[in-house]
Amino acid sequence: MNIGLAGMFPWRPHLEHLVYIGILLRKSSHKTFYLTCDSQLSNCYNLELKKQGRTYVCGTCIIGGIRSYPVNNITPLEKNVNNNLSELELLKLSRSSANTLCRAEAKEEFEAENVLRIRDSFTNPINIIYENTTEWIKKNKIEGIITFNGRMDITQGITYACEKNDIPYITLERTRDHGILLKPNENCLGLKEINRLNKIFINKPLKYEQALLSAIELYNRISGNKLKEWRSFHDNNKNIYWPAKGNGQKVLITPSSRSEFEGHLDWEFGFFNYTDAFDELFDRLKISSENCVLRCHPNWTRPIGRIKESNALIHYMNWAKKRGIHIIHSIEKSSTYSLINQADIIVVNGGSTGTEAGFLGKKVICIGHAGYEQSKMSINIQNNSQWHLLKNLDNFDEKET
């Protein structure tokens, strides 16, 4: 087969993974073809993120990009191309990158001036990558493409060209620990494949060796031991006593950011903001605010490029203050796991805390979608027609979870 490998960013280990896969493909007698930018785009996620000038950003991208590896059949982009995509298509393909770069959170922020400016600046580059990918496919008779991520602006332009030309593709990213995460025909946020696998294996018991490996991985994650994640949020955190003063069931709220998921069809949900659904949830379960703790995500105060703080921090803190909920700020080194252990109910909106709490046998309520929504370890409320699922709390079995 003729396989295309598109590594548009120099980031490690993703580009190394792509090169490694290329080696495996050639060993299996497949032909490999590479696509790279060579500073032909006026803007991209990397340029907008760093804001250090084209000479530096594009220069380091070329030096550390696919040309720094001993591979052949490299095709650079060509700027002078036709424009066959509509404005609506281009704005849709630029949405996730713009939202993430601005760290937008509330629904109304996704149409803010700074977000729209970045979306507009990405439309021409996305069109260029789309047209070049289409021509690359035709010229080299490419039968399948592997690319990093597929969510960001230009990587999404590549996968969109695959879809339009009926070419199968795989997106890759690093996993939390071992191996490479590969998703066929969807980007890194896609839920179709993980949902399919969960449905297949949900009732199949693990063998002893598999259960032991799973237990080791879970222990390493919860203990913060030997984690290889891109961003670790649990270093030097301290166990704390439950800080809320109420006497009822302890409810821990651990929201994650919405920005990069906004607009993805697999993540659409029937509420204007997650906080609206949280309000409805507390009213239905008669949860008192004095029994609740909001644990703000540690990532919300960590800089991402030139953006120093996520709008999510302000959004959720304002909501919690209005309700009188105890707040643990993002900068506090309080162990989320110690809070999970003390809580009776964990409320999430798709974040990995839902998985960890489920493994610990806790009641997990997930508002919206999640990669574990078909795993039976959480109650998932995605729209107003599903509140009846809360009755499953009465039949909760921590061993079943």
Side-chain angles (χ1 to χ4, degrees):
M1 291 182 66
N2 291 349
I3 308 296
L5 299 135
M8 309 309 294
F9 298 114
W11 304 329
R12 270 55 171 178
H14 315 296
L15 193 59
E16 294 170 330
H17 291 163
L18 200 68
V19 171
Y20 171 69
I21 289 174
I23 293 171
L24 296 181
L25 288 169
R26 289 191 295 277
K27 284 183 177 179
S28 300
S29 301
H30 299 290
K31 292 183 179 180
T32 56
F33 301 84
Y34 293 85
L35 186 67
T36 191
C37 174
D38 278 356
S39 190
Q40 295 303 298
L41 301 177
S42 59
N43 203 9
C44 71
Y45 190 93
N46 205 25
L47 279 165
E48 193 67 39
L49 178 72
K50 295 179 178 177
K51 284 291 185 182
Q52 293 174 299
R54 293 184 59 81
T55 301
Y56 175 77
V57 177
C58 294
T60 55
C61 193
I62 293 172
I63 292 171
I66 195 64
R67 293 191 184 280
S68 65
Y69 292 88
V71 298
N72 299 314
N73 299 328
I74 300 175
T75 299
L77 298 185
E78 168 59 51
K79 284 194 288 190
N80 299 317
V81 296
N82 296 324
N83 188 347
N84 291 313
L85 294 180
S86 68
E87 182 179 357
L88 183 62
E89 288 174 301
L90 291 167
L91 289 174
K92 180 181 178 181
L93 295 171
S94 65
R95 181 186 299 174
S96 181
S97 283
N99 292 340
T100 305
L101 285 162
C102 294
R103 304 189 78 171
E105 183 63 29
K107 183 76 171 178
E108 57 271 19
E109 294 170 0
F110 298 125
E111 300 298 322
E113 184 178 346
N114 60 336
V115 176
L116 295 179
R117 179 194 65 78
I118 294 176
R119 286 175 67 176
D120 185 63
S121 75
F122 283 157
T123 55
N124 184 55
I126 291 173
N127 179 71
I128 290 173
I129 192 73
Y130 170 84
E131 296 294 346
N132 274 267
T133 302
T134 299
E135 180 61 26
W136 181 52
I137 290 169
K138 294 176 180 177
K139 180 179 178 181
N140 298 290
K141 298 181 180 179
I142 288 174
E143 300 165 85
I145 286 177
I146 303 173
T147 188
F148 163 65
N149 183 268
R151 173 191 70 82
M152 297 173 183
D153 45 298
I154 57 176
T155 65
Q156 197 167 171
I158 294 167
T159 59
Y160 194 58
C162 291
E163 292 166 4
K164 285 285 193 175
N165 289 278
D166 294 322
I167 298 296
Y169 65 90
I170 294 173
T171 58
L172 68 83
E173 278 207 337
R174 66 181 298 174
T175 64
R176 285 181 172 171
D177 201 346
H178 308 292
I180 304 172
L181 177 63
L182 302 172
K183 288 196 173 184
N185 299 312
E186 60 181 355
N187 69 29
C188 62
L189 302 181
L191 295 176
K192 294 181 179 63
E193 196 63 16
I194 187 65
N195 283 346
R196 183 184 71 84
L197 291 173
N198 272 325
K199 289 177 181 178
I200 292 173
F201 292 102
I202 188 65
N203 292 316
K204 299 183 185 298
L206 297 177
K207 294 180 180 179
Y208 173 79
E209 295 80 5
Q210 295 171 322
L212 182 61
L213 178 61
S214 298
I216 292 171
E217 294 298 319
L218 176 59
Y219 170 77
N220 285 339
R221 177 157 185 82
I222 292 177
S223 66
N225 184 36
K226 298 180 181 178
L227 286 179
K228 301 175 183 177
E229 296 189 40
W230 174 50
R231 289 176 182 267
S232 178
F233 303 114
H234 307 291
D235 298 336
N236 302 314
N237 283 358
K238 306 297 182 184
N239 292 337
I240 63 168
Y241 290 109
W242 186 260
K245 304 303 182 183
N247 296 319
Q249 285 199 104
K250 300 180 179 70
V251 179
L252 177 63
I253 310 142
T254 60
S256 53
S257 302
R258 174 184 182 179
S259 54
E260 64 185 52
F261 298 89
E262 177 65 17
H264 195 296
L265 293 178
D266 291 355
W267 291 83
E268 287 187 347
F269 67 110
F271 305 99
F272 192 73
N273 285 314
Y274 284 112
T275 48
D276 298 325
F278 291 168
D279 286 336
E280 180 72 15
L281 172 67
F282 294 164
D283 289 346
R284 286 178 176 269
L285 294 181
K286 296 180 173 54
I287 294 173
S288 172
S289 294
E290 64 181 10
N291 297 316
C292 299
V293 172
L294 170 70
R295 181 32 165 142
C296 297
H297 200 293
N299 189 44
W300 291 346
T301 51
R302 293 192 180 186
I304 296 180
R306 59 195 174 84
I307 307 297
K308 304 304 179 186
E309 187 174 275
S310 172
N311 291 0
L313 179 65
I314 299 171
H315 176 71
Y316 283 103
M317 284 186 66
N318 286 343
W319 169 77
K321 287 176 182 176
K322 184 177 179 181
R323 288 195 67 106
I325 292 173
H326 184 94
I327 298 169
I328 297 179
H329 197 282
S330 296
I331 61 174
E332 294 186 45
K333 301 295 287 184
S334 302
S335 169
T336 302
Y337 297 129
S338 71
L339 294 167
I340 292 173
N341 275 318
Q342 296 172 79
D344 299 300
I345 298 174
I346 317 297
V347 178
V348 297
N349 62 347
S352 61
T353 303
T355 307
E356 296 147 4
F359 282 142
L360 293 173
K362 296 293 182 176
K363 297 178 181 178
V364 179
I365 301 173
C366 178
I367 300 298
H369 292 274
Y372 44 85
E373 63 188 26
Q374 295 294 333
S375 68
K376 296 185 179 179
M377 67 168 55
S378 60
I379 295 172
N380 302 284
I381 308 295
Q382 291 149 9
N383 54 61
N384 273 316
S385 69
Q386 295 179 323
W387 289 113
H388 67 279
L389 297 175
L390 292 176
K391 65 183 180 183
N392 293 326
L393 288 171
D394 298 331
N395 303 316
F396 176 76
D397 184 343
E398 64 179 34
K399 292 182 180 180
E400 179 67 21
T401 300

